[in-house]
């Protein structure tokens, strides 16, 4: 009887090893109160994240080397007071070096997500950056699009926003609210 239990446990271990074990749980991404906007929470897989890049295969390789685990994205849409679209993310890596590797890539490739991107002063968050894509004037309804990201340990947080009321101050307000709700502190 004991031999059968040992054999069954060995088979389960082999199957688990072949299947890669349990999937990494999605990191927590708290909701931020954006009045007038509906939100949807989704998981960000490595494949989905790699599609952000103009060269997805290059980013996919970087994510693998950086130890990407899992991510969460909350998309807010609607006629908000400041934004018409806001996307918040938290991306989890195996260690802080991996998170820093991705953050450096994102900082260097903001134009992959925004088009032409101009850097702005960083936020008062660890290793942060802010970039903006300003409308070219050909479309009267075009609005600025902002991207900001920062790192807390093995996690990279980001916000991408657009809307008539979007400006550097509103980006900082949203990023600070996200950071605080996720347990960040100004001294880390």
């Amino acid at each position: 009887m004991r031999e059968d239990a040992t054999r069954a446990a060995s088979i389960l271990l082999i199957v688990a090893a072949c299947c890669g074990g349990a999937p990494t749980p999605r990191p927590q991404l708290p909701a931020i109160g954006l009045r007038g906007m509906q939100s949807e929470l989704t998981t960000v897989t490595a494949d989905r994240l790699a599609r952000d890049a103009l060269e997805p295969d290059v980013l996919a390789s970087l994510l693998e080397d950086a130890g990407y685990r899992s991510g969460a994205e909350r998309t807010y849409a609607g006629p908000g007071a400041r934004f018409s679209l806001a996307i918040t993310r938290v991306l989890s890596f195996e260690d802080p070096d991996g998170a820093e590797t991705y953050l450096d890539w994102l900082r260097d490739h903001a134009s992959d997500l925004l088009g032409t991107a101009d850097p702005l002063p960083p936020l008062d968050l660890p290793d942060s950056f802010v970039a903006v894509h300003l409308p070219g004037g050909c479309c009267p309804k075009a609005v600025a699009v902002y991207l900001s990201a920062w790192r807390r340990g093995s996690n990279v947080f980001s916000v991408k926003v657009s809307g008539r009321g979007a400006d550097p101050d509103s980006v900082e307000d949203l990023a600070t609210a996200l950071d605080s709700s996720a347990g960040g502190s100004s001294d880390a």
Side-chain angles (χ1 to χ4, degrees):
M1 181 77 73
R2 185 173 204 172
E3 206 172 290
D4 290 338
T6 302
R7 188 175 306 137
S10 297
I11 291 171
L12 286 175
L13 286 173
I14 291 169
V15 169
C18 291
C19 295
T24 302
R26 176 174 66 197
Q28 294 294 313
L29 182 60
I32 306 296
L34 294 176
R35 195 174 41 212
M37 300 183 80
Q38 301 295 316
S39 74
E40 179 181 347
L41 181 65
T42 58
T43 299
V44 181
T45 64
D47 288 338
R48 181 163 175 237
L49 187 56
R51 288 193 305 263
D52 281 353
L54 294 177
E55 298 180 82
D57 293 341
V58 173
L59 180 53
S61 178
L62 179 137
L63 291 170
E64 185 175 334
D65 292 346
Y68 181 71
R69 298 179 66 186
S70 184
E73 174 181 286
R74 191 176 297 274
T75 302
Y76 300 85
R82 291 179 158 182
F83 313 119
S84 53
L85 180 66
I87 301 169
T88 61
R89 282 182 174 172
V90 59
L91 307 172
S92 177
F93 293 82
E94 290 176 5
D95 58 45
D97 289 339
E100 187 66 29
T101 296
Y102 173 73
L103 184 61
D104 288 343
W105 178 90
L106 187 59
R107 181 182 287 112
D108 293 341
H109 292 84
S111 60
D112 282 18
L113 283 75
L114 300 176
T116 303
D118 297 316
L120 295 175
L123 304 178
D124 190 21
L125 294 168
D127 303 320
S128 74
F129 76 90
V130 180
V132 62
H133 171 79
L134 296 171
C138 67
C139 178
K141 293 189 178 190
V143 294
V145 181
Y146 292 85
L147 172 67
S148 181
W150 63 99
R151 183 180 62 81
R152 291 270 182 205
S154 298
N155 292 326
V156 173
F157 293 87
S158 67
V159 297
K160 182 180 173 186
V161 298
S162 63
R164 295 231 176 261
D167 61 21
D169 289 338
S170 64
V171 172
E172 182 148 21
D173 290 347
L174 180 60
T176 301
L178 173 61
D179 191 64
S180 294
S181 69
S185 65
S186 59
D187 59 287

